[in-house]
Amino acid sequence: MKNLPFLLLIAMLASFSCEKPAPTDLNKAALIPFPKEIFPTHERFCLQNGTVIHVQEHLLPFAEAMEETLEATTNLDIVVERGDITSGPSHIYLELLGDDMDDEGPEAYELNIKKKKIYLVSKSEAGLFRGLQTLLQLLPTTPTEDNHWFVASGVITDAPQYDYRGAMLDVSRHFFGVDDVKRFIDLIALCKINYLHLHLADDQGWRIEIKSWPNLTTHGGSTQVGGGPGGYYTQEDYQEIVRYAQSRYVTIVPEIDMPGHTNAALASYPELNCNGMSPALYTGTEVGFSTLCTSKEIVYQFVDDVVREIAAMTPGPYFHIGGDESHVTALEDYIPFIERVQDIVTKYDKQVIGWDEISHAELREDGVVQYWAMAENALRGVAQGTKVLLSPAHKVYLDMQYDSTTELGLHWAAYIELDSAYLWSPETLVPGIGKENILGIESPLWTETITNMDEIEYMVFPRLLAHAELSWSPAEARNWGHFSGRLVRYAEHLKRLDVDYYASPVVTWK
Ligand code: TNX
């Protein structure tokens, strides 16, 4: 008992240790993508054991997920509270506002960090989630000795420039299982990416179970580039991916590439071929040699079944029909094929996205042309009233080598160093395609040369951070020197998450 005064003193010191000098300049925060506006107030908030997250009933699941994330990051004990209890060392208030947050979109949020309280508000849970990513980036990578996590105070008002900020993973050339896709989703969600496009079928493998055409996966999914065992997602697997993505406010865009890039389907069902004969499975990396037989009625039954089954499992608005590099499909066959497939996709209540070649066909105005190679194709889409999704290969293809010494990747479009990935502007890339025509940016990772998660991470990071800033941050907030400086500190978070990123030589790492 005679130790009591001493223990009290220790307890008081512990509670005062949040008063120790700590980061107080919010302007110095290593945020990527950089937010729209920051007003530093030069104090600090302290996240610690017992910090309370306050929510109304309807946000309880969100708050619990947030609690889990904060606890996993810090090892702290965070508390979620529905009432007005005000005890606790510091407080985070979550709130969904009605439509009164100006005319910003649903992902806009405000993070107001005071000494004892943080207010995070948005119109939608997605917006709260984007704000949470900002808060996570504001946390130091290690706490003080007494497990206090300081955050510089101030107000961050933020909203994305573009509604569609995407990444694509090619699971056909090499197959990646559900756990890899989940990690991929976790990592892209950190960068406020909100769409994940899965390239589910190509010459080398069909990766999504279609109940009405089972050979697509049992045969067509049984190999990959280089002849490995391949693999596929059962419908249950796919739904699990969709749900996991939803929990990170990421929308899945499924792609079935057609009429070209279809060798795996053609090998599985002879009736899809004009000569009625199945080719062998393909494990090489050539493109442009396969086509569905566009004059056969059974092909449209096939497409209808595939779109119907996948659309039924896909809550997002888009269905990607591929349409690229159909070099062995005559244009007079290609155009009516795309138009019929567009009708099928529309019948199942989805909007078409396709690679830029699809603009040869007559497109609906709610269609999206994904510009990867030919500006004139993208402009033809714009002339028809469609939006353009920007994936210029020489800037955003994540399978391009960083330079000639990079062991992984290709270089047909360019070598893409980090500065090159960052230094361009979506609005001036193609004369005639302005902000009003652009849906957003998507960074595709093709996987001819990529075989495992480490390799994925190496090609994706840090380039995806550059692209995320281009699609999220306003032009005035973008600056290469500032970005690369932030990246040096941001990399500490990547290390904590064990991300195998490329330490680009154009960045001055400390
Ligand atoms: C071109 S991009 C392709 C893909 C390849 C990629 C490799 C596009 C629409 N087609 O089939 O995987 O190049 O970089």
Side-chain angles (χ1 to χ4, degrees):
M1 250 347 219
K2 68 175 191 282
N3 276 340
L4 190 59
F6 177 69
L7 287 175
L8 277 175
L9 182 67
I10 297 279
M12 278 171 65
L13 283 177
S15 69
F16 277 128
S17 63
C18 261
E19 308 296 327
K20 272 191 312 203
T24 53
D25 190 352
L26 195 58
N27 269 331
K28 296 221 174 90
L31 295 172
I32 302 177
F34 204 66
K36 211 165 132 184
E37 285 168 319
I38 298 186
F39 304 99
T41 52
H42 303 286
E43 294 182 317
R44 60 196 176 270
F45 174 87
C46 180
L47 188 75
Q48 57 188 300
N49 279 322
T51 295
V52 187
I53 303 176
H54 298 264
V55 279
Q56 292 163 305
E57 189 72 33
H58 61 281
L59 274 178
L60 202 56
F62 182 92
E64 281 164 355
M66 176 168 173
E67 173 193 20
E68 223 174 273
T69 307
L70 287 173
E71 290 187 342
T73 310
T74 61
N75 268 322
L76 291 170
D77 265 325
I78 305 292
V79 181
V80 175
E81 173 60 57
R82 273 172 287 178
D84 322 304
I85 305 232
T86 47
S87 61
S90 61
H91 306 266
I92 301 173
Y93 294 86
L94 298 181
E95 205 183 329
L96 281 184
L97 295 181
D99 272 344
D100 44 339
M101 233 176 130
D102 302 335
D103 46 2
E104 297 283 17
E107 292 179 283
Y109 69 90
E110 187 180 279
L111 190 59
N112 186 350
I113 304 160
K114 295 166 176 285
K115 229 169 138 179
K116 293 275 180 196
K117 295 173 182 173
I118 291 178
Y119 296 92
L120 174 55
V121 299
S122 173
K123 281 188 211 171
S124 74
E125 285 187 18
L128 294 178
F129 186 81
R130 308 296 170 230
L132 170 59
Q133 304 317 303
T134 301
L135 179 58
L136 290 170
Q137 291 178 26
L138 293 175
L139 291 174
T141 38
T142 47
T144 62
E145 265 172 35
D146 33 15
N147 213 11
H148 288 148
W149 298 70
F150 291 107
V151 177
S153 69
V155 183
I156 294 178
T157 320
D158 205 4
Q161 292 298 300
Y162 291 103
D163 292 340
Y164 190 118
R165 305 172 308 278
M168 189 207 84
L169 182 62
D170 170 7
V171 295
S172 175
R173 272 52 178 274
H174 282 96
F175 180 66
F176 301 94
V178 174
D179 286 343
D180 283 343
V181 177
K182 285 182 175 174
R183 176 160 168 96
F184 193 78
I185 291 169
D186 280 341
L187 296 179
I188 66 175
L190 286 179
C191 329
K192 301 188 171 77
I193 296 289
N194 63 345
Y195 281 90
L196 172 59
H197 166 183
L198 290 173
H199 185 75
L200 290 166
D202 210 304
D203 292 318
Q204 296 86 347
W206 185 286
R207 307 299 181 201
I208 174 81
E209 177 189 21
I210 302 296
K211 304 256 190 212
S212 52
W213 296 75
N215 278 354
L216 289 171
T217 41
T218 52
H219 185 63
S222 66
T223 192
Q224 60 186 359
V225 167
Y232 64 90
Y233 308 120
T234 63
Q235 295 207 346
E236 290 67 33
D237 290 339
Y238 179 78
Q239 287 168 300
E240 189 180 331
I241 290 171
V242 165
R243 276 195 304 273
Y244 193 83
Q246 280 178 316
S247 74
R248 269 74 178 155
Y249 302 88
V250 169
T251 301
I252 298 291
V253 178
E255 177 187 354
I256 300 296
D257 203 345
M258 47 193 160
H261 289 276
T262 43
N263 191 76
L266 298 166
S268 307
Y269 287 99
E271 59 269 42
L272 302 177
N273 296 269
C274 279
N275 67 3
M277 289 187 335
S278 276
L281 291 171
Y282 182 69
T283 60
T285 59
E286 295 299 313
V287 295
F289 61 86
S290 56
T291 185
L292 295 171
C293 188
T294 58
S295 59
K296 279 189 169 178
E297 212 41 42
I298 184 76
V299 163
Y300 299 93
Q301 186 55 53
F302 164 77
V303 173
D304 193 293
D305 287 334
V306 168
V307 174
R308 173 174 50 77
E309 290 196 31
I310 296 175
M313 301 185 289
T314 305
Y318 299 114
F319 191 102
H320 200 303
I321 64 172
D324 59 311
E325 298 173 321
S326 294
H327 301 324
V328 294
T329 323
L331 193 59
E332 64 265 30
D333 298 331
Y334 176 86
I335 290 173
F337 174 84
I338 294 294
E339 290 170 0
R340 254 184 104 170
V341 172
Q342 171 174 254
D343 289 343
I344 293 170
V345 169
T346 307
K347 179 170 96 180
Y348 293 112
D349 282 330
K350 299 294 173 195
Q351 290 167 252
V352 163
I353 305 187
W355 300 107
D356 59 48
E357 292 96 319
I358 67 162
S359 71
H360 286 285
E362 196 177 312
L363 299 175
R364 292 166 50 97
E365 287 195 2
D366 66 357
V368 177
V369 171
Q370 186 165 9
Y371 166 53
W372 67 284
M374 302 268 289
E376 65 183 70
N377 287 342
L379 286 164
R380 199 181 307 107
V382 167
Q384 297 194 52
T386 72
K387 292 260 183 188
V388 177
L389 179 56
L390 296 179
S391 298
H394 66 293
K395 287 293 179 188
V396 305
Y397 267 29
L398 297 169
D399 65 320
M400 292 299 121
Q401 291 162 275
Y402 289 98
D403 63 25
S404 62
T405 69
T406 315
E407 281 174 27
L408 303 167
L410 310 172
H411 57 257
W412 64 264
Y415 294 114
I416 309 180
E417 242 313 338
L418 180 62
D419 50 354
S420 172
Y422 187 84
L423 288 167
W424 61 284
S425 163
E427 300 81 29
T428 56
L429 183 70
V430 181
I433 300 183
K435 188 154 191 230
E436 66 285 6
N437 310 117
I438 299 171
L439 181 64
I441 300 178
E442 183 178 282
S443 313
L445 180 62
W446 302 99
T447 60
E448 284 94 334
T449 65
I450 310 298
T451 63
N452 61 46
M453 197 66 210
D454 277 350
E455 295 176 355
I456 289 177
E457 291 170 11
Y458 184 80
M459 299 307 275
V460 170
F461 289 96
R463 285 185 292 200
L464 186 64
L465 291 163
H467 304 150
E469 185 148 303
L470 290 172
S471 58
W472 180 282
S473 309
E476 318 80 73
R478 301 196 307 253
N479 173 291
W480 162 250
H482 194 221
F483 172 81
S484 62
R486 277 177 280 135
L487 179 61
V488 173
R489 285 168 291 137
Y490 187 98
E492 295 303 315
H493 295 287
L494 295 178
K495 281 182 202 153
R496 178 172 53 77
L497 295 166
D498 215 13
V499 176
D500 187 21
Y501 65 91
Y502 165 71
S504 165
V506 298
V507 172
T508 315
W509 307 95
K510 288 196 192 82

